[in-house]
Amino acid sequence: MAKGHKFGGHARAYIKVWAALLVLTAVTVSVSYYDFGDWNAFVAMLVATVKGVLVCLFFMHLMYDNRVNQVVFISAFVFLAIFILLTGSDEWFRREMKPVKVTDTASAALGAADMEKLMKAAPELAAKGKEIYGVQCAACHGADGKGDGPAASALNPKPRDFTSGVWKLGGTPSQVFHTITHGSPGTSMAGFASVSVPDRWALVAYLRSLSPNKPEDTPETLKQSGVDKMLDQGPGTRDQGPKTTEAIPVSFAMKQYVQTDVGVTDLTVPPAGTDSVSLGQKIYQSDCMSCHGFQGKGGIPVSVVGFVSEKERATLKTKDFAVSRQTWTYNQAAFIDLVSNGLPGRNMPGFADYSAEEWSALYRYVQSLRAR
Amino acid sequence: MTHGETVIAETKHKVPHHFDSAEQAFESSKLGLWLFLVTEILLFGGLFVAYVIFRGLYPDLFHTASQHLNKILGSINTVVLICSSLSMALAVDRVRQNDPNKAHQYMLVTLFFAACFMIIKYVEYTHKFHEGLLPGGNFTNAALAGDPKAPLFFSLYFMMTGLHGIHVLVGMGLITWVLIRSNRGEFSSSYYTPVELVGLYWHLVDLIWIYLFPLLYLIG
């Protein structure tokens, strides 16, 4: 076999390569004491690559190896390059966006004291719960909570009849809250953690109002359902006020990507002296206006990160609500579906974090913009 | 010289029956090892990508944090590994030239350099531990306490050099193994596949360090 090999005693060549590697190491270490700015990394990687190529070609004698092995080994670097370039392109072409101070009023409104209020089955809470029940629960549990909704016949076990007074997983407020949040394992009852915390408490109030059996919470049931952690934990935990954190909220991020130019039809901020009055208007102005305009006339060009050229950007303007003939213009369910999911690839992000009440308010407001 | 030994060696090794010839067996083993080296590059590739991303996100942090690495020790270790690569290449060359005694000496030299590398690594690590320059939640260094992202650099440092260090230890084990087999006279110019493959593996360990060294010590 020795005869068949194209390389014989290579000691001399190895020593030359070794000397070259030492020189290159000295070079890369000494240039590191000088600052070439952005070129530092380039110079260092260039020297490293020359060293690497020497090691591969001579020490690993890839130069004399057969073609298959050469292709195999080089393919590793091709894949590595793809890996680095595709991952890097995501980051390198991002626009710089600094976090802003956000005052988290939602969690402030849900301080320990408020949680306790929510737990008390106030009548107005039960009324709100009934509304949510109609949207989220009635299909299975029935309009009157008798477990006889349209979908009930297909289910096994049958949905709970709330008027029976039976609670499989406990009927104290915290236990009902826990069941709504996490569902009932082994049945078709799913967890509804997507429903906001106040809405879930409203549901608890409504469901308990249906039942002749209303056990109250004990420290054990609170602990068992994990609700105790959401409540007052003693001095110092109550009413600490709104929490301010650094974050990049979606509405803020969207505003960063909006470029207003001469061709804009609508305003992106309300004219001075305008007050938001209705709930729908408030939601619209906080989440939709920056792209769709103050009056929903659209025409505001929305640019995507990096890759969109000036020409393409012109086509990415928001549409005037009034000229749309799509399903959402007359069907609230279609509207909710569209807004929750957004339009992937067309710059419309999904906004799903609304309660039933907020959805209908937003829908009404957008309709009023169409009718303008 | 040592031709008497080689004749014995040639009779010892049998080409596995599923190969047509010794040449084919050798080439197959080598292709397998190259494929393994590809997976090694992609294994380190994940860490390199993490490095690229985090360095892009926090360039200033990487600059200040890398000042806490010892450039001198890093350079010495680079030289040590290059020397070990040379001695390994020479060892393979000597085996191929039917000169096992020289080959054993070169392998011992390689082991010596590898041990030097690990000892220097140990000194560096001890120093980092002492200064509290540790990954994640274990980070307690006071000088860098102002930067909440500082532990990130040291997570990458320990992951990258640690994984590389494990490769050095495995390489030392493999070199010891071929050294023992060579001592038993199992290799000659007609059969030296394990020596060749261990050599390739050892050069890859060197190759990876050639990139780790500037990325961590020099251009931070």
Side-chain angles (χ1 to χ4, degrees), chain A residues 341-355:
Chain A
N341 295 314
L343 289 169
R346 283 168 59 191
N347 267 15
M348 166 80 184
F351 293 85
D353 202 16
Y354 302 128
S355 67

PDB file of all heavy atoms in Angstrom, chain A residues 341-355:
ATOM      1  N   ASN A 341     -55.705  36.799  13.810  1.00  0.00           N
ATOM      2  CA  ASN A 341     -54.629  36.089  13.116  1.00  0.00           C
ATOM      3  C   ASN A 341     -53.732  37.018  12.322  1.00  0.00           C
ATOM      4  O   ASN A 341     -52.620  36.655  11.979  1.00  0.00           O
ATOM      5  CB  ASN A 341     -55.215  35.032  12.176  1.00  0.00           C
ATOM      6  CG  ASN A 341     -55.939  33.964  12.952  1.00  0.00           C
ATOM      7  OD1 ASN A 341     -55.432  33.466  13.948  1.00  0.00           O
ATOM      8  ND2 ASN A 341     -57.151  33.655  12.542  1.00  0.00           N
ATOM      9  N   GLY A 342     -54.236  38.199  11.981  1.00  0.00           N
ATOM     10  CA  GLY A 342     -53.457  39.100  11.150  1.00  0.00           C
ATOM     11  C   GLY A 342     -53.391  38.578   9.724  1.00  0.00           C
ATOM     12  O   GLY A 342     -54.053  37.593   9.378  1.00  0.00           O
ATOM     13  N   LEU A 343     -52.588  39.232   8.897  1.00  0.00           N
ATOM     14  CA  LEU A 343     -52.401  38.779   7.531  1.00  0.00           C
ATOM     15  C   LEU A 343     -50.928  38.479   7.359  1.00  0.00           C
ATOM     16  O   LEU A 343     -50.146  39.362   7.022  1.00  0.00           O
ATOM     17  CB  LEU A 343     -52.844  39.861   6.546  1.00  0.00           C
ATOM     18  CG  LEU A 343     -54.343  40.113   6.452  1.00  0.00           C
ATOM     19  CD1 LEU A 343     -54.623  41.380   5.655  1.00  0.00           C
ATOM     20  CD2 LEU A 343     -55.056  38.937   5.820  1.00  0.00           C
ATOM     21  N   PRO A 344     -50.531  37.219   7.604  1.00  0.00           N
ATOM     22  CA  PRO A 344     -49.113  36.888   7.537  1.00  0.00           C
ATOM     23  C   PRO A 344     -48.561  37.199   6.153  1.00  0.00           C
ATOM     24  O   PRO A 344     -49.220  36.942   5.151  1.00  0.00           O
ATOM     25  CB  PRO A 344     -49.098  35.376   7.793  1.00  0.00           C
ATOM     26  CG  PRO A 344     -50.398  35.088   8.452  1.00  0.00           C
ATOM     27  CD  PRO A 344     -51.365  36.085   7.920  1.00  0.00           C
ATOM     28  N   GLY A 345     -47.399  37.806   6.100  1.00  0.00           N
ATOM     29  CA  GLY A 345     -46.788  38.144   4.825  1.00  0.00           C
ATOM     30  C   GLY A 345     -47.286  39.467   4.284  1.00  0.00           C
ATOM     31  O   GLY A 345     -46.761  39.970   3.300  1.00  0.00           O
ATOM     32  N   ARG A 346     -48.314  40.038   4.885  1.00  0.00           N
ATOM     33  CA  ARG A 346     -48.792  41.322   4.392  1.00  0.00           C
ATOM     34  C   ARG A 346     -48.734  42.385   5.486  1.00  0.00           C
ATOM     35  O   ARG A 346     -49.482  43.367   5.447  1.00  0.00           O
ATOM     36  CB  ARG A 346     -50.190  41.168   3.815  1.00  0.00           C
ATOM     37  CG  ARG A 346     -50.132  40.513   2.429  1.00  0.00           C
ATOM     38  CD  ARG A 346     -51.473  40.079   1.958  1.00  0.00           C
ATOM     39  NE  ARG A 346     -52.407  41.191   1.868  1.00  0.00           N
ATOM     40  CZ  ARG A 346     -53.705  41.046   1.684  1.00  0.00           C
ATOM     41  NH1 ARG A 346     -54.217  39.834   1.600  1.00  0.00           N
ATOM     42  NH2 ARG A 346     -54.493  42.088   1.606  1.00  0.00           N
ATOM     43  N   ASN A 347     -47.880  42.121   6.479  1.00  0.00           N
ATOM     44  CA  ASN A 347     -47.591  43.150   7.486  1.00  0.00           C
ATOM     45  C   ASN A 347     -48.690  43.435   8.484  1.00  0.00           C
ATOM     46  O   ASN A 347     -48.582  44.356   9.283  1.00  0.00           O
ATOM     47  CB  ASN A 347     -47.215  44.469   6.809  1.00  0.00           C
ATOM     48  CG  ASN A 347     -45.732  44.556   6.648  1.00  0.00           C
ATOM     49  OD1 ASN A 347     -45.067  43.537   6.780  1.00  0.00           O
ATOM     50  ND2 ASN A 347     -45.219  45.725   6.401  1.00  0.00           N
ATOM     51  N   MET A 348     -49.799  42.689   8.409  1.00  0.00           N
ATOM     52  CA  MET A 348     -50.848  42.898   9.399  1.00  0.00           C
ATOM     53  C   MET A 348     -50.601  41.919  10.531  1.00  0.00           C
ATOM     54  O   MET A 348     -50.727  40.717  10.349  1.00  0.00           O
ATOM     55  CB  MET A 348     -52.216  42.639   8.760  1.00  0.00           C
ATOM     56  CG  MET A 348     -53.362  42.484   9.761  1.00  0.00           C
ATOM     57  SD  MET A 348     -53.986  44.058  10.398  1.00  0.00           S
ATOM     58  CE  MET A 348     -55.199  43.466  11.588  1.00  0.00           C
ATOM     59  N   PRO A 349     -50.135  42.421  11.707  1.00  0.00           N
ATOM     60  CA  PRO A 349     -49.912  41.498  12.816  1.00  0.00           C
ATOM     61  C   PRO A 349     -51.229  41.087  13.443  1.00  0.00           C
ATOM     62  O   PRO A 349     -52.239  41.770  13.259  1.00  0.00           O
ATOM     63  CB  PRO A 349     -49.077  42.322  13.791  1.00  0.00           C
ATOM     64  CG  PRO A 349     -49.399  43.733  13.484  1.00  0.00           C
ATOM     65  CD  PRO A 349     -49.953  43.826  12.099  1.00  0.00           C
ATOM     66  N   GLY A 350     -51.237  39.974  14.150  1.00  0.00           N
ATOM     67  CA  GLY A 350     -52.451  39.533  14.828  1.00  0.00           C
ATOM     68  C   GLY A 350     -52.576  40.222  16.178  1.00  0.00           C
ATOM     69  O   GLY A 350     -51.605  40.399  16.896  1.00  0.00           O
ATOM     70  N   PHE A 351     -53.765  40.640  16.499  1.00  0.00           N
ATOM     71  CA  PHE A 351     -54.043  41.225  17.814  1.00  0.00           C
ATOM     72  C   PHE A 351     -55.163  40.385  18.428  1.00  0.00           C
ATOM     73  O   PHE A 351     -56.296  40.462  17.968  1.00  0.00           O
ATOM     74  CB  PHE A 351     -54.522  42.670  17.683  1.00  0.00           C
ATOM     75  CG  PHE A 351     -53.466  43.617  17.179  1.00  0.00           C
ATOM     76  CD1 PHE A 351     -53.243  43.771  15.821  1.00  0.00           C
ATOM     77  CD2 PHE A 351     -52.700  44.345  18.067  1.00  0.00           C
ATOM     78  CE1 PHE A 351     -52.279  44.638  15.358  1.00  0.00           C
ATOM     79  CE2 PHE A 351     -51.729  45.225  17.610  1.00  0.00           C
ATOM     80  CZ  PHE A 351     -51.519  45.366  16.256  1.00  0.00           C
ATOM     81  N   ALA A 352     -54.851  39.573  19.432  1.00  0.00           N
ATOM     82  CA  ALA A 352     -55.873  38.650  19.927  1.00  0.00           C
ATOM     83  C   ALA A 352     -56.247  38.915  21.373  1.00  0.00           C
ATOM     84  O   ALA A 352     -57.146  38.287  21.917  1.00  0.00           O
ATOM     85  CB  ALA A 352     -55.405  37.221  19.761  1.00  0.00           C
ATOM     86  N   ASP A 353     -55.560  39.872  21.993  1.00  0.00           N
ATOM     87  CA  ASP A 353     -55.692  39.982  23.438  1.00  0.00           C
ATOM     88  C   ASP A 353     -56.855  40.879  23.871  1.00  0.00           C
ATOM     89  O   ASP A 353     -56.673  41.800  24.635  1.00  0.00           O
ATOM     90  CB  ASP A 353     -54.368  40.511  24.005  1.00  0.00           C
ATOM     91  CG  ASP A 353     -54.217  40.160  25.465  1.00  0.00           C
ATOM     92  OD1 ASP A 353     -54.969  39.285  25.917  1.00  0.00           O
ATOM     93  OD2 ASP A 353     -53.376  40.778  26.140  1.00  0.00           O
ATOM     94  N   TYR A 354     -58.028  40.626  23.339  1.00  0.00           N
ATOM     95  CA  TYR A 354     -59.183  41.452  23.707  1.00  0.00           C
ATOM     96  C   TYR A 354     -60.264  40.598  24.360  1.00  0.00           C
ATOM     97  O   TYR A 354     -60.432  39.425  24.041  1.00  0.00           O
ATOM     98  CB  TYR A 354     -59.786  42.131  22.468  1.00  0.00           C
ATOM     99  CG  TYR A 354     -58.815  42.999  21.698  1.00  0.00           C
ATOM    100  CD1 TYR A 354     -58.651  42.816  20.328  1.00  0.00           C
ATOM    101  CD2 TYR A 354     -58.068  43.984  22.336  1.00  0.00           C
ATOM    102  CE1 TYR A 354     -57.764  43.611  19.605  1.00  0.00           C
ATOM    103  CE2 TYR A 354     -57.186  44.778  21.621  1.00  0.00           C
ATOM    104  CZ  TYR A 354     -57.031  44.585  20.261  1.00  0.00           C
ATOM    105  OH  TYR A 354     -56.158  45.353  19.563  1.00  0.00           O
ATOM    106  N   SER A 355     -61.022  41.212  25.222  1.00  0.00           N
ATOM    107  CA  SER A 355     -62.171  40.510  25.802  1.00  0.00           C
ATOM    108  C   SER A 355     -63.327  40.611  24.822  1.00  0.00           C
ATOM    109  O   SER A 355     -63.270  41.371  23.852  1.00  0.00           O
ATOM    110  CB  SER A 355     -62.545  41.163  27.131  1.00  0.00           C
ATOM    111  OG  SER A 355     -63.038  42.455  26.887  1.00  0.00           O
TER     112      SER A 355
END
